Amino acid sequence: MEVGPALSIVRFDGVSKYFRVHPGNQLLRDRLLRMVRRGDSADRFYALRDVSFSVEPGESVAFIGHNGAGKSTLLSLVAGLSPPDEGQVSVKGRVAVLLELGSGFHYDLTGVENVRLNASLLGMSRRRTDELFDRIVDFAGIGEYLHEPVRTYSMGMVLRLAFSVAFHLDAEVLIIDEVIAVGDLEFQRKCLDRILELQRSGRTLLFVSHSSYVVQQFCRRAVWLDHGRVKMDGSASDVLGAYQAAVT
């Protein structure tokens, strides 16, 4: 699939991301040789290589592939968590990321305090947090524990509260990386319903999931990454079929 026009909300043009390979123990002469050859591609591990695609406003796109294929690295570039080493990444609008939920929580503070703190860290204004506070709390469904220190919560309760905050951000692009299975079945249903609500409102959703059900339920399009390269980009059913045939 060709890279789309300038109206794309997310666009990758020839993007590569690599990491330096650490050789471990070496003789001094070998270390000096490596320093002289710092540009040598043999010293690099490419998590992404020459990736190009575009996502239009309102699209829901799944990124699939084996562990280590580059999916999470790609989403981190969209989120602005790291820059590309080659090529260009263009993202228009605000991005909300559901990757490592709860990472901004302070466990000695109460749930109420952490909702406000986490919302602030994610870029939500105090006024907007006040407007959405009741909805965030109701969605999390942790009841009377809201006024207790987060260190007394189960991990499931922490994730529910963090998920609720992230899901109520005012963002044009929502990134979801394998965090749908949070809490009990009732809460999972609420999360899936919320995703459908965001789709209907015209948000752009980017998924990473190993669940073919999630991909088919929410995405008409999928991108298959293989060792950091785009192997296939097309309809979700076609890409899933090709991927499953390759791995079985």
Side-chain angles (χ1 to χ4, degrees), residues 153-170:
Y153 291 12
S154 68
M155 183 52 66
M157 292 168 65
V158 173
L159 292 176
R160 286 167 69 127
L161 197 59
F163 202 100
S164 185
V165 173
F167 251 161
H168 286 84
L169 291 174
D170 299 317

Side-chain angles (χ1 to χ4, degrees), residues 135 192-203:
R135 285 200 286 180
L192 297 177
D193 288 345
R194 177 63 176 160
I195 292 173
L196 289 172
E197 180 184 338
L198 291 170
Q199 284 182 311
R200 287 193 292 268
S201 70
R203 305 291 177 86

Side-chain angles (χ1 to χ4, degrees), residues 155-243:
M155 183 52 66
M157 292 168 65
V158 173
L159 292 176
R160 286 167 69 127
L161 197 59
F163 202 100
S164 185
V165 173
F167 251 161
H168 286 84
L169 291 174
D170 299 317
E172 289 76 23
V173 180
L174 180 63
I175 294 175
I176 304 174
D177 188 359
E178 290 288 11
V179 292
I180 296 297
V182 176
D184 55 28
L185 290 176
E186 176 63 20
F187 189 73
Q188 290 178 37
R189 184 192 61 77
K190 288 171 65 175
C191 291
L192 297 177
D193 288 345
R194 177 63 176 160
I195 292 173
L196 289 172
E197 180 184 338
L198 291 170
Q199 284 182 311
R200 287 193 292 268
S201 70
R203 305 291 177 86
T204 301
L205 306 182
L206 306 182
F207 287 85
V208 162
S209 180
H210 291 286
S211 169
S212 58
Y213 168 78
V214 169
V215 172
Q216 292 178 317
Q217 178 80 3
F218 296 106
C219 304
R220 293 184 178 180
R221 176 183 168 199
V223 177
W224 173 11
L225 291 176
D226 182 53
H227 294 93
R229 296 182 181 272
V230 175
K231 180 85 171 181
M232 186 176 179
D233 181 351
S235 72
S237 58
D238 289 345
V239 175
L240 273 174
Y243 174 66

